[in-house]
Amino acid sequence: MPPFRVLYLDMNSFFASVEQHLDPALRGRPVAITAVDSDAGACVAASYEAKAYGVKTGTRVADARRMCPGIVFRPSRHRLYVRFNLAIADVLDRHAELTHIRSVDEFQLALSGDAQSLDGAAELVARLKATVAAEVGPCLRFSAGLGPNHLLAKIAGKLEKPNGFQWLSVENMPDRIAHLALDDLPGISRAMKDRLMRAGVYDVPQLCQLDPRHARLIWRSVEGERFVRMLQGMDIPLTATQRGGFGNSKILSPEYRDPRRAYMVGRWLVEKATARLRRDGRVAGRFSLTVSMLAGSVWSRGVSCFPTQDSAFFLRLHRALWKALWRNGRPGQVIAVGVQLGDVSLLAERQGDLLKPLGPSEKTRGEQVSAAVDQINARFGDGAIRYGINAPHPGFFERG
């Protein structure tokens, strides 16, 4: 069996578990975390006791109350969860090499020595579980995934919840994950799933057996080749210069769920994502919009473009995609909005365009304006200058 190099830890019902740890009266009871203290609000996290009744992220508070009599609601406390995240990270780093804090509830560790074997890794996981329980809290449990690279380790970490431990390698792939849908895999959006299916890739075994060069064509990026090679067990490290995209998504509070208000939140998300793109000195050649309806349906579309970092340009693409969504009639209430800037590369490596005309790595007029806006906002505060009307929706329940 090839050596295992990565251990991925996924905390189980992290927000609810923190609340149960701090209030022993909540232990063993169904708990849901909410962004808004209202029956019209939605659950953004749930304990496993609540999940057993069907309560999950996005479930309306009123529905959760009906589905799970006796459920306890607690408001989100972002700073508190971050403090527990850091406490767990400290434990992990004392027992292994903590290489990445992937999110508030996910951690990635590099393995060496005996821990690269299955038995050695199992011993390490047991030690970490015991230490986290003893030093941070017995309610704080995690599922662990083991793999030869970070992708397989992360997938393995999702296979057994709660408090599980699974591994993936060339020895048990792709059979071990053949039951998963394509978009169950991290990094496969609904739009990418549609693209794969149009290319004749209908399930996970077919994806695992895909020629990596074909994957590059489907993704329209080297990231497709990297993704398939990792599924096939190759150790391809994460590097800062190979970021796949910049994006933000937001679970909307009730007052923002009208589609017109959700559209304005989307404009704000575009401004945030493009500002981050420029801070990293990058350009994006694809823009995608995802709109999730309260009724359960999801609409997602993307469009390719000349690589740019111009906020006004991406806002025009954002508007065009919303128009496409409205084409068949006014959408219903919106529960979440997400924007994604993909096909990312360095501005310094962008080729020129004779038709504009534009020299290699030279900024367009729109990009120069965007950079000036960044400078003013850095001096006078975010939002001092905006690209027209938007609807800021600050809060913890966003990604990006």
Side-chain angles (χ1 to χ4, degrees):
M1 185 177 294
F4 293 101
R5 296 183 175 89
V6 179
L7 182 65
Y8 211 99
L9 307 184
D10 185 359
M11 303 304 298
N12 301 145
S13 293
F14 184 53
F15 302 164
S17 296
V18 169
E19 301 293 347
Q20 289 174 322
H21 166 71
L22 294 174
D23 184 354
L26 297 179
R27 297 178 188 179
R29 298 181 61 187
V31 177
I33 309 301
T34 63
V36 180
D37 187 16
S38 163
D39 273 4
C43 302
V44 295
S47 68
Y48 275 91
E49 294 85 357
K51 289 177 180 178
Y53 287 86
V55 179
K56 57 185 179 181
T57 300
T59 301
R60 296 178 58 187
V61 169
D63 292 337
R65 204 184 302 277
R66 174 182 53 79
M67 296 161 62
C68 183
I71 191 170
V72 178
F73 297 98
R74 289 287 185 267
S76 165
R77 298 193 281 178
H78 176 211
R79 293 181 180 177
L80 174 67
Y81 307 144
V82 169
R83 288 202 298 272
F84 273 83
N85 168 280
L86 295 175
I88 294 167
D90 179 66
V91 170
L92 302 179
D93 203 39
R94 283 188 275 116
H95 290 264
E97 182 185 352
L98 177 62
T99 57
H100 298 84
I101 298 178
R102 287 280 161 222
S103 68
V104 74
D105 61 351
E106 292 181 296
F107 306 86
Q108 182 176 318
L109 297 90
L111 301 177
S112 60
D114 291 343
Q116 290 189 317
S117 69
L118 183 56
D119 290 343
E123 291 178 7
L124 173 62
V125 169
R127 187 163 68 251
L128 293 175
K129 286 178 181 287
T131 309
V132 168
E135 297 187 17
V136 185
C139 294
L140 281 301
R141 300 181 297 172
F142 60 79
S143 293
L146 185 64
N149 57 53
H150 68 274
L151 177 62
L152 289 183
K154 180 168 184 173
I155 296 170
K158 307 290 186 181
L159 292 177
E160 183 183 351
K161 290 188 173 185
N163 208 31
F165 172 51
Q166 292 291 328
W167 58 275
L168 290 174
S169 115
V170 293
E171 304 287 332
N172 63 355
M173 285 285 292
D175 294 347
R176 182 63 183 85
I177 62 171
H179 63 287
L180 299 178
L182 287 170
D183 52 358
D184 287 334
L185 302 182
I188 303 292
S189 64
R190 286 180 174 84
M192 181 56 69
K193 177 182 178 180
D194 292 343
R195 197 184 298 178
L196 285 164
M197 296 186 76
R198 287 196 298 271
V201 180
Y202 301 107
D203 56 36
V204 169
Q206 286 181 306
L207 179 59
C208 293
Q209 294 159 10
L210 192 65
D211 186 320
R213 294 167 296 181
H214 189 189
R216 181 194 284 247
L217 295 176
I218 295 172
W219 260 258
R220 303 170 191 158
S221 164
V222 69
E223 291 305 314
E225 180 175 342
R226 286 167 51 83
F227 189 92
V228 169
R229 290 192 186 279
M230 284 189 286
L231 281 180
Q232 294 171 352
M234 288 187 62
D235 179 27
I236 300 179
L238 292 169
T239 62
T241 58
Q242 293 177 319
R243 178 161 187 161
F246 290 75
N248 284 297
S249 64
K250 170 65 66 174
I251 296 175
L252 303 178
S253 57
E255 63 269 28
Y256 290 96
R257 291 180 185 165
D258 179 85
R260 295 183 186 276
R261 292 280 284 165
Y263 166 74
M264 293 300 178
V265 174
R267 287 181 57 87
W268 175 66
L269 294 175
V270 172
E271 290 192 31
K272 284 163 58 71
T274 52
R276 290 168 48 227
L277 183 75
R278 288 189 295 274
R279 283 199 299 270
D280 267 22
R282 297 174 186 274
V283 293
R286 185 169 179 80
F287 177 80
S288 301
L289 170 69
T290 301
V291 180
S292 301
M293 311 301 175
L294 191 61
S297 62
V298 177
W299 187 93
S300 183
R301 295 289 187 279
V303 59
S304 296
C305 59
F306 177 77
T308 183
Q309 54 177 219
D310 181 353
S311 288
F313 178 80
F314 284 116
L315 284 167
R316 290 195 293 273
L317 294 183
H318 174 258
R319 179 178 175 81
L321 291 179
W322 272 95
K323 283 185 175 180
L325 169 61
W326 278 69
R327 198 160 290 144
N328 294 323
R330 189 180 193 277
Q333 293 285 291
V334 178
I335 187 65
V337 175
V339 301
Q340 180 74 15
L341 306 176
D343 292 351
V344 169
S345 57
L346 291 169
L347 172 64
E349 297 175 354
R350 184 174 67 185
Q351 300 298 309
D353 188 333
L354 293 175
L355 299 180
K356 289 194 182 290
L358 188 69
S361 73
E362 180 184 352
K363 289 185 178 180
T364 66
R365 184 174 182 82
E367 290 169 339
Q368 293 171 15
V369 171
S370 295
V373 169
D374 290 342
Q375 292 175 357
I376 294 171
N377 285 337
R379 180 173 180 181
F380 296 102
D382 287 341
I385 293 184
R386 299 180 187 176
Y387 299 81
I389 300 173
N390 63 28
H393 191 327
F396 176 61
F397 299 103
E398 59 186 275
R399 297 176 182 176

